[in-house]
Amino acid sequence: MTLSEPEILPWDRQDREPEKAYGYFVLYRDLGRTRTVAKVATEVNKSRDYLHKLATAWKWVQRAQAWDREEDRLYVEGLAEQRRDMAKRHARISSALQAKIVARLQTIDASKLSPGDIARWLEVATRVERLALGLPDSTTSHTGPDGGPIRAEVEQMSAAQRGDFFRALMAEAAARAGQGSPTSGSGDPAGDDEQEESAGAAASEE
């Protein structure tokens, strides 16, 4: 059983292509998209006519274009991988941030929060996660002068409704951070410290 010969790619040395001719092509190829035969001629101190004949015989233009397309493909793949890594990092940061927010929310008296405070808590709890998922960087689109529909709705709530809304916000933030439903009241200080330590460890991984 014989192994098949490796494929000769356009930018590789071609069958029966002289080594010196291939070296001239490599110089031409690596000049980038502003490449010209004249630039190669100047660099190697050869006549343009001679190099133009080589370029025509060995199809420098087509081979260099194939090289450019491959470089573009590799760049796009690398960029996509970097974006995936960035999204993962942002998701870890978001999880750590949300865990800290949940721990802090458990110590806050909802009756003392203003509508603006609640709107800001909701924005902080979700903004980084939305960015990591590629969603719009806003939870208050079509905003009014006071910060948008979320705040406007809160301002219309009674004190009891506002407390219910805040507790629902705590539950949502806890679920997003993977903490489960937080209990009402001030929360256990020891548990607060433990959650903050866990969140700090998650952030330090980054």
Side-chain angles (χ1 to χ4, degrees), residues 12 29 47 80 83 122 132 136 154 178 188 198 202:
D12 293 335
R29 180 196 71 190
S47 71
R83 287 174 175 171
L122 182 60
V154 173
D188 181 8
S198 173

Side-chain angles (χ1 to χ4, degrees), residues 54-103:
L54 288 179
T56 301
W58 295 105
K59 300 180 180 179
W60 285 9
V61 173
Q62 295 89 333
R63 292 165 66 189
Q65 289 174 345
W67 169 265
D68 290 340
R69 289 192 295 271
E70 177 66 7
E71 289 289 287
D72 289 344
R73 183 186 68 81
L74 293 174
Y75 173 78
V76 170
E77 285 186 356
L79 188 61
E81 183 64 25
Q82 290 176 12
R83 287 174 175 171
R84 285 191 291 269
D85 290 343
M86 181 180 66
K88 291 177 183 178
R89 290 196 302 272
H90 286 180
R92 289 197 299 270
I93 293 171
S94 174
S95 179
L97 174 62
Q98 290 172 7
K100 280 186 171 291
I101 291 174
V102 170

Side-chain angles (χ1 to χ4, degrees), residues 1-196:
M1 179 179 179
T2 60
L3 296 176
S4 60
E5 293 293 330
E7 179 185 1
I8 298 178
L9 299 171
W11 49 86
D12 293 335
R13 184 179 176 185
Q14 303 300 294
D15 187 30
R16 295 190 298 276
E17 183 178 16
E19 184 175 351
K20 184 172 290 188
Y22 177 64
Y24 293 148
F25 165 70
V26 170
L27 290 175
Y28 173 79
R29 180 196 71 190
D30 293 348
L31 286 174
R33 297 177 191 268
T34 61
R35 62 178 70 88
T36 65
V37 172
K39 290 180 180 179
V40 178
T42 300
E43 186 168 340
V44 300
N45 196 26
K46 295 291 183 180
S47 71
R48 295 186 184 183
D49 288 343
Y50 169 67
L51 291 178
H52 272 298
K53 288 178 181 178
L54 288 179
T56 301
W58 295 105
K59 300 180 180 179
W60 285 9
V61 173
Q62 295 89 333
R63 292 165 66 189
Q65 289 174 345
W67 169 265
D68 290 340
R69 289 192 295 271
E70 177 66 7
E71 289 289 287
D72 289 344
R73 183 186 68 81
L74 293 174
Y75 173 78
V76 170
E77 285 186 356
L79 188 61
E81 183 64 25
Q82 290 176 12
R83 287 174 175 171
R84 285 191 291 269
D85 290 343
M86 181 180 66
K88 291 177 183 178
R89 290 196 302 272
H90 286 180
R92 289 197 299 270
I93 293 171
S94 174
S95 179
L97 174 62
Q98 290 172 7
K100 280 186 171 291
I101 291 174
V102 170
R104 182 68 182 95
L105 287 173
Q106 292 175 340
T107 69
I108 295 176
D109 184 351
S111 65
K112 296 181 180 179
L113 290 176
S114 70
D117 292 333
I118 295 177
R120 282 190 291 274
W121 275 115
L122 182 60
E123 180 181 4
V124 170
T126 59
R127 186 180 182 195
V128 174
E129 185 174 44
R130 292 176 67 85
L131 287 171
L133 295 176
L135 297 174
D137 180 21
S138 175
T139 56
T140 56
S141 58
H142 307 293
T143 58
D146 291 335
I150 292 178
R151 180 167 180 167
E153 291 175 3
V154 173
E155 287 176 342
Q156 297 170 8
M157 294 179 183
S158 65
Q161 290 173 328
R162 194 176 302 164
D164 290 340
F165 177 83
F166 181 70
R167 282 187 288 274
L169 170 60
M170 291 172 62
E172 178 183 354
R176 289 177 181 273
Q179 300 294 319
S181 298
T183 57
S184 60
S186 62
D188 181 8
D192 188 10
D193 292 341
E194 180 179 353
Q195 286 180 329
E196 291 193 1

